[in-house]
Amino acid sequence: MTQDREPVFRIFLLVCLMALIVGTITQICEESEFQVCMSKNNLTHVPKNLPPTTKSLDISQNHISELQISDISFLSGLNILKLSYNRIQRLDLRVFKFNQDLEHLDLSHNQLQKMSCYPVVSLKHLDLSFNDFDVLPICMEFGNLTQLSFLGLSAVKFQQLDLLPIAHLNLNYLLLVLGDSYVEENVRENLQILTTETLHLVFHPNSFFSVQANISINTLGCLQLSNIKLNDGNCQVFVEFLLGLTRGPTLLNLTLNHMETPWTCLVRIFKYLWPRPVEYLNIYHLTIDEKVEDVQFIYPNTTLKSLKLEHITKRVFLFSQTVLYRVFSEMNIMMLTISDSPLVHMLCPNAPSTFTFLNFSQNVFTDSVFDSCSTLVKLQTLILQKNSLKNLFKVSLMTKNMTSLEILDVSWNSLGSDAHREDCTWIKSIVVLNLSSNTLTDSVFRCLPPKVKVLDLHNNRITNIPKDVTALESLQELNVAFNSLADLPGCGTFRSLSALIIDHNSISHPTTDFFQSCQEMRSVKAGNNPFQCTCELREFIKNMDQVSREVVWDWPDSYKCHYPESHKGILLKDFHVSPLSCNKTLLIITIVTTVLVLAASVTFLCCYFDLPWYVRMMCQWTQTRRRARNVPLEELQRNLQFHAFISYSGHDSAWVKNELLPNLEKENLQICLHERNFIPGKSIVENIITCIEKSYKSIFVLSPNFIQSEWCHYELYFAHHKLFHGGSDNLILILLKPIPENNIPRNYHKLRALMAQRTYLEWPTEKSKHGLFWANIRAAFNIKLTLVTDNDEVKL
Ligand SMILES: *[C@@H]1O[C@H](CO)[C@@H](O)[C@H](O)[C@H]1NC(C)=O
Ligand SMILES: *[C@@H]1O[C@H](CO)[C@@H](O)[C@H](O)[C@H]1NC(C)=O
Ligand SMILES: *[C@@H]1O[C@H](CO)[C@@H](O)[C@H](O)[C@H]1NC(C)=O
Ligand SMILES: *[C@@H]1O[C@H](CO)[C@@H](O)[C@H](O)[C@H]1NC(C)=O
Ligand SMILES: *[C@@H]1O[C@H](CO)[C@@H](O)[C@H](O)[C@H]1NC(C)=O
Ligand SMILES: *[C@@H]1O[C@H](CO)[C@@H](O)[C@H](O)[C@H]1NC(C)=O
Ligand SMILES: *[C@@H]1O[C@H](CO)[C@@H](O)[C@H](O)[C@H]1NC(C)=O
Ligand SMILES: *[C@@H]1O[C@H](CO)[C@@H](O)[C@H](O)[C@H]1NC(C)=O
């Protein structure tokens, strides 16, 4: 029988849901060409300058007290008009005469007392609830609103006959807000004709329930009653009221909102509803007052599937807890939710129970709940979120005989890990375990159900996942976000792991072999960790970049450098560092190679090109040039006849004549040679002195032969002498052939000193070096010099 009703139930559920959605969607207003949002604008009148194209107009929550035909008649396309929470007292529906498309009219929460009727046939949603009507504002014209699907009405006085004009309408949702006085009618007529899928009755919040109508409604799927104040006196009235409404076979969903009742009356209501065709019973904001008495009660067979009690307040304090808990624990239904209530405990059912789903979130249950309970044999889902559980071992013990338990949620408790033990006795059937938002530490991994597939441990105090824990072979999803983990876990112990959430931890250098270790990984979230952007991170970044976005679904935006300070805030994907500065071996190899190459090339240059010789020559060249620049020209020019005087041993004359002279004279230099320019009649010494004195420079061709020649030594002496007296360096020493130092006679002090200073130019044997040699010689003469004899300016 229940199976036949399933599709019907679905449709009703959809209707209930749609009613809810319509309620929420219409809250959202987005300004556009067709939509005007002027809610909460302190308006006292409907604005005049509305665009005529307006289709939706929201002027709710203002101070409007009047609605005139001229206000809206020009809005011919108007579809939706929201006027709730204003101050309108009178309304003539004729004002909508020209709004042929008006479908949604919300006039709830105004001060309407009177309404003139006019059939606005296009209306689908008409809300006149929460107004000051004395009797229900239903006119005969309402009977012609055939498209109407939602109707909200309110009245201080209620007579069920008032509903007659709308009895034949096919409504989806009928909202009746009733005042505190109910006018009893003589004719207790049954209104079978009223047809709606959802009926929501709102009673007066401050008066005790007293409506004695015998309303029966066709096709009623959802019934919602709000503000039910009961006491011992009117409990029967309410039960009888329900009797009429719940008679139909289609009612599936009964919601009682803001109910205040003595415990005994609540149990009576249960007792009454149990055999009814209701499947879902929700009670929100339940206040239990007066004493809790023991009511003997055996639940009859029922179609009820689910009972939900949310937000219970107790106005009684001294009572036998057992009496209260027993009523719930012995229920023969599948789903029970008792949440946001001051319940401290729940009893273990006496006999094998029908519960498959228990939701006791937001109570104050302690560890002793369901202690050694083995009657919850069908229980698949147990939710103990936001309670006062402290001991994980005891929680595991609780599950020991819940042989069908698959989902356990003990998040938001005070579970610590002090008492974690290896001998936790989880039932093996658990596949989803939610331990989030507790104070668990690393040892939690020693106390976990062995077959768990989904494990939520986020927001705990885990610093490390121990390597030696028993393998959780089935674990597929692990959430360890908001802990203090320092690294990504390997998948050694979690072989099937395919989803890992590990964001907001303390991971600074994640292991790089994570993806190698976790082959099954399909989804990773590891952002918002304090990553240290150093060399070690490169491999990790590379891996993350390679893995597809669908796997790492918070990459790259949540991955930022935390350290070093210079990189703080930079996205990991933008962090680049050269491979060289990261690889120490590579760095050392590079440095060593560079040094070796340098050394080799220097050596090569020295050996092959005689680099030291070049260096020396270059030095002299620069020195000569500098010196030449410093010498005042006039002083030099005084009585010079020659550019240079050449002193050499007769044995070297061949080189002088063939090499030196041609090269010097090519440059237009006047040379004084003793063979050529010596004046006969003068002594040799006189000749040498004259020659030296009349020359700008003295060139000495040094060689072992030179040392042997006495004359040469004289010449050197004079030249050197002139050098010191003249104050300028006029000496050019050319070392034609190497002279071993000990070959220089001891008394040749000058020569030794000059040799020691190495201020000579070496004649290179390699032809390729001759160019530089001559350049050096030329540099010594690099000067504008006017010679006395020639009177020609010799430009060098
Ligand atoms: C409406 O008036 C109240 C009080 O007079 C003021 O606080 C609020 O800002 C006003 N709202 C607008 C939209 O003018
Ligand atoms: C309203 O409905 C009645 C019958 O219920 C009908 O006689 C009447 O013509 C309708 N009026 C309009 C305006 O449709
Ligand atoms: C309500 O009406 C039904 C008939 O539809 C009748 O059986 C029932 O007794 C009435 N209830 C009361 C309280 O009069
Ligand atoms: C029953 O009706 C209430 C109120 O309309 C709604 O909140 C709830 O979702 C519906 N369905 C169930 C299964 O409770
Ligand atoms: C309740 O249902 C069970 C089987 O589901 C059946 O054995 C029992 O007779 C029913 N009891 C009543 C009072 O109908
Ligand atoms: C358990 O009840 C709480 C409070 O009513 C609710 O928020 C939560 O969604 C429920 N959990 C499940 C799984 O239905
Ligand atoms: C709980 O189950 C164990 C087997 O797992 C069984 O030995 C024990 O008797 C059960 N306890 C109760 C109270 O039934
Ligand atoms: C665990 O519970 C928390 C709330 O307490 C919830 O946000 C989270 O989604 C749950 N985890 C799983 C895997 O259901």
Side-chain angles (χ1 to χ4, degrees):
M1 182 204 172
T2 11
Q3 252 137 24
D4 297 346
R5 289 174 49 170
E6 210 57 41
V8 183
F9 164 71
R10 290 243 172 84
I11 291 166
F12 283 132
L13 209 70
L14 205 72
V15 170
C16 293
L17 218 75
M18 263 166 59
L20 219 80
I21 288 168
V22 167
T24 30
I25 282 181
T26 48
Q27 300 293 313
I28 305 157
C29 187
E30 231 173 77
E31 199 80 39
S32 80
E33 189 189 347
F34 303 116
Q35 195 151 343
V36 177
C37 308
M38 299 186 84
S39 189
K40 294 187 203 167
N41 263 302
N42 292 348
L43 299 174
T44 52
H45 290 93
V46 179
K48 295 282 175 228
N49 50 357
L50 294 169
T53 53
T54 307
K55 283 192 171 167
S56 167
L57 175 60
D58 185 353
I59 42 174
S60 60
Q61 306 189 64
N62 282 297
H63 310 311
I64 299 167
S65 57
E66 232 181 357
L67 186 64
Q68 288 176 342
I69 192 158
S70 56
D71 290 336
I72 52 160
S73 57
F74 63 100
L75 305 175
S76 53
L78 192 66
N79 209 238
I80 298 171
L81 176 59
K82 292 179 192 169
L83 267 163
S84 57
Y85 294 96
N86 274 290
R87 296 174 182 171
I88 301 171
Q89 294 183 345
R90 293 170 167 277
L91 181 71
D92 188 348
L93 284 179
R94 215 174 298 273
V95 297
F96 303 111
K97 206 160 110 183
F98 299 106
N99 308 109
Q100 298 286 336
D101 293 335
L102 188 64
E103 289 183 357
H104 184 113
L105 177 59
D106 187 354
L107 279 158
S108 62
H109 297 276
N110 274 279
Q111 297 161 7
L112 284 170
Q113 289 167 351
K114 287 233 155 60
M115 196 179 70
S116 307
C117 291
Y118 181 83
V120 191
V121 285
S122 54
L123 279 178
K124 289 180 178 163
H125 180 109
L126 174 61
D127 197 347
L128 297 164
S129 61
F130 299 99
N131 274 290
D132 298 342
F133 293 111
D134 197 37
V135 292
L136 286 181
I138 295 182
C139 14
M140 293 310 290
E141 282 82 352
F142 278 18
N144 294 48
L145 307 181
T146 47
Q147 305 205 44
L148 204 60
S149 136
F150 177 99
L151 179 60
L153 300 169
S154 64
V156 179
K157 292 187 194 126
F158 173 63
Q159 304 170 14
Q160 64 190 64
L161 278 179
D162 296 343
L163 292 167
L164 212 50
I166 55 162
H168 67 282
L169 289 182
N170 243 318
L171 294 174
N172 272 324
Y173 199 112
L174 177 60
L175 168 64
L176 289 178
V177 182
L178 305 179
D180 54 356
S181 57
Y182 167 73
V183 182
E184 196 157 346
E185 285 171 73
N186 296 328
V187 201
R188 306 191 77 185
E189 204 173 327
N190 180 24
L191 291 171
Q192 284 284 0
I193 37 175
L194 199 59
T195 311
T196 183
E197 279 156 12
T198 300
L199 175 63
H200 186 181
L201 287 169
V202 181
F203 302 108
H204 196 272
N206 294 327
S207 42
F208 283 101
F209 185 84
S210 62
V211 182
Q212 290 185 330
N214 186 3
I215 309 173
S216 157
I217 294 174
N218 280 336
T219 67
L220 186 64
C222 287
L223 175 62
Q224 233 190 101
L225 305 174
S226 298
N227 303 331
I228 308 147
K229 234 179 136 178
L230 303 175
N231 56 18
D232 286 334
N234 65 2
C235 191
Q236 186 58 33
V237 178
F238 181 67
V239 170
E240 277 173 18
F241 178 77
L242 279 182
L243 181 70
L245 283 171
T246 56
R247 192 180 293 120
T250 50
L251 182 66
L252 299 177
N253 195 340
L254 174 58
T255 301
L256 307 174
N257 229 325
H258 290 279
M259 177 147 111
E260 208 180 305
T261 175
W263 173 249
T264 41
C265 184
L266 183 66
V267 179
R268 254 170 93 185
I269 294 168
F270 286 160
K271 203 185 233 173
Y272 165 74
L273 284 175
W274 234 248
R276 303 289 127 201
V278 177
E279 291 191 357
Y280 291 84
L281 174 59
N282 307 314
I283 304 179
Y284 302 122
H285 299 275
L286 172 69
T287 306
I288 298 171
D289 45 21
E290 295 183 30
K291 55 192 182 298
V292 174
E293 285 168 356
D294 194 356
V295 191
Q296 285 305 317
F297 187 57
I298 294 161
Y299 286 101
N301 283 358
T302 182
T303 54
L304 193 67
K305 287 179 180 163
S306 156
L307 170 63
K308 194 190 273 187
L309 291 138
E310 268 182 33
H311 197 87
I312 303 179
T313 320
K314 275 188 302 178
R315 295 233 187 93
V316 276
F317 299 101
L318 286 172
F319 61 92
S320 156
Q321 303 272 338
T322 325
V323 168
L324 189 124
Y325 302 140
R326 187 57 70 197
V327 167
F328 294 113
S329 67
E330 300 309 314
M331 283 179 172
N332 54 351
I333 55 175
M334 294 199 305
M335 300 162 85
L336 173 64
T337 297
I338 304 178
S339 71
D340 193 12
S341 79
L343 296 196
V344 295
H345 194 61
M346 187 47 63
L347 294 176
C348 181
N350 282 329
S353 155
T354 51
F355 288 128
T356 60
F357 175 96
L358 289 176
N359 184 350
F360 294 121
S361 64
Q362 248 181 301
N363 291 298
V364 276
F365 284 14
T366 61
D367 296 329
S368 57
V369 72
F370 298 135
D371 190 14
S372 351
C373 181
S374 48
T375 47
L376 290 169
V377 284
K378 291 189 175 164
L379 189 63
Q380 290 168 0
T381 305
L382 175 58
I383 296 169
L384 292 169
Q385 196 187 92
K386 294 186 181 155
N387 275 281
S388 302
L389 306 177
K390 288 197 173 69
N391 190 322
L392 191 60
F393 174 74
K394 283 195 176 166
V395 172
S396 80
L397 202 58
M398 170 189 82
T399 67
K400 190 178 170 189
N401 285 36
M402 298 179 176
T403 46
S404 305
L405 190 64
E406 289 181 355
I407 302 171
L408 176 63
D409 183 348
V410 286
S411 59
W412 291 102
N413 276 280
S414 312
L415 293 169
S417 36
D418 316 333
H420 287 176
R421 297 152 56 160
E422 303 272 359
D423 55 348
C424 286
T425 53
W426 297 101
I427 186 78
K428 289 196 172 56
S429 55
I430 294 177
V431 289
V432 179
L433 178 59
N434 198 335
L435 290 169
S436 64
S437 302
N438 280 289
T439 56
L440 297 162
T441 60
D442 304 356
S443 51
V444 67
F445 285 96
R446 306 193 186 283
C447 177
L448 289 172
K451 298 270 171 65
V452 68
K453 285 185 182 161
V454 178
L455 179 60
D456 193 339
L457 276 166
H458 83 264
N459 194 16
N460 275 286
R461 297 185 187 159
I462 301 166
T463 56
N464 178 36
I465 298 176
K467 293 272 183 287
D468 57 336
V469 295
T470 29
L472 295 173
E473 300 279 354
S474 313
L475 189 64
Q476 289 167 2
E477 290 178 42
L478 176 63
N479 184 345
V480 281
F482 293 94
N483 277 286
S484 306
L485 286 162
D487 201 355
L488 295 172
C491 290
T493 40
F494 317 125
R495 211 150 299 160
S496 317
L497 196 63
S498 65
L500 175 68
I501 304 179
I502 193 166
D503 55 317
H504 292 97
N505 271 277
S506 309
I507 302 172
S508 51
H509 335 76
T511 28
T512 48
D513 63 348
F514 172 71
F515 286 106
Q516 281 91 55
S517 156
C518 302
Q519 295 284 338
E520 300 291 310
M521 199 54 66
R522 298 286 167 270
S523 162
V524 177
K525 190 181 179 202
N528 292 300
N529 273 294
F531 294 107
Q532 289 210 5
C533 288
T534 54
C535 293
E536 292 93 85
L537 209 62
R538 284 177 321 139
E539 191 69 15
F540 174 74
I541 295 172
K542 210 176 93 200
N543 285 342
M544 289 302 239
D545 239 352
Q546 280 166 358
V547 174
S548 101
R549 270 315 120 81
E550 281 138 47
V551 173
V552 187
W553 42 284
D554 56 348
W555 178 267
D557 293 343
S558 301
Y559 294 76
K560 291 180 183 154
C561 295
H562 183 77
Y563 180 88
E565 211 58 39
S566 56
H567 284 81
K568 198 165 183 160
I570 291 180
L571 290 182
L572 251 53
K573 83 170 166 57
D574 298 330
F575 170 70
H576 301 292
V577 56
S578 72
L580 189 61
S581 60
C582 282
N583 194 334
K584 265 193 203 126
T585 336
L586 193 60
L587 184 67
I588 290 169
I589 288 175
T590 312
I591 291 175
V592 167
T593 319
T594 318
V595 167
L596 283 179
V597 166
L598 218 66
S601 35
V602 166
T603 317
F604 174 78
L605 284 174
C606 287
C607 298
Y608 198 81
F609 293 110
D610 204 357
L611 190 73
W613 182 86
Y614 276 105
V615 171
R616 230 166 31 241
M617 294 299 266
M618 292 304 285
C619 279
Q620 286 194 10
W621 186 67
T622 41
Q623 267 172 22
T624 317
R625 297 213 38 147
R626 201 182 57 230
R627 256 186 251 126
R629 231 176 283 131
N630 294 339
V631 180
L633 209 64
E634 306 83 51
E635 201 186 315
L636 279 171
Q637 283 177 339
R638 249 176 303 150
N639 43 31
L640 292 183
Q641 285 184 3
F642 302 100
H643 285 103
F645 156 73
I646 302 177
S647 166
Y648 59 95
S649 152
H651 296 282
D652 300 324
S653 64
W655 180 79
V656 172
K657 297 221 172 84
N658 297 335
E659 294 277 351
L660 185 59
L661 262 181
N663 264 296
L664 293 177
E665 287 178 339
K666 196 166 71 188
E667 304 288 332
N668 275 334
L669 297 179
Q670 306 294 315
I671 307 297
C672 184
L673 279 183
H674 58 268
E675 298 138 67
R676 209 164 60 181
N677 304 76
F678 272 27
I679 303 157
K682 281 195 177 177
S683 75
I684 291 171
V685 177
E686 262 181 320
N687 260 319
I688 291 173
I689 292 171
T690 324
C691 211
I692 288 175
E693 276 178 353
K694 286 182 176 174
S695 297
Y696 170 45
K697 297 268 176 182
S698 302
I699 299 174
F700 290 84
V701 181
L702 306 179
S703 69
N705 304 325
F706 182 85
I707 308 292
Q708 306 303 320
S709 149
E710 192 84 1
W711 284 123
C712 294
H713 185 62
Y714 275 126
E715 288 169 3
L716 184 64
Y717 175 79
F718 291 129
H720 195 68
H721 195 72
K722 188 198 171 204
L723 164 86
F724 292 124
H725 287 275
S728 62
D729 189 359
N730 287 347
L731 219 50
I732 297 172
L733 301 179
I734 296 172
L735 186 64
L736 189 59
K737 283 177 195 142
I739 308 169
E741 203 182 323
N742 41 8
N743 273 14
I744 306 172
R746 280 199 181 275
N747 49 346
Y748 285 23
H749 302 293
K750 292 268 148 54
L751 187 57
R752 294 188 127 209
L754 286 168
M755 293 296 285
Q757 281 168 22
R758 301 180 136 260
T759 50
Y760 48 79
L761 299 170
E762 263 175 88
W763 172 245
T765 43
E766 298 92 331
K767 214 173 164 79
S768 60
K769 293 177 182 174
H770 289 180
L772 184 57
F773 177 84
W774 293 124
N776 238 320
I777 298 277
R778 275 200 300 278
F781 294 97
N782 192 3
I783 191 168
K784 263 184 177 180
L785 207 58
T786 318
L787 299 179
V788 175
T789 40
D790 295 333
N791 280 343
D792 281 346
E793 265 192 60
V794 183
K795 283 192 183 167
L796 304 168

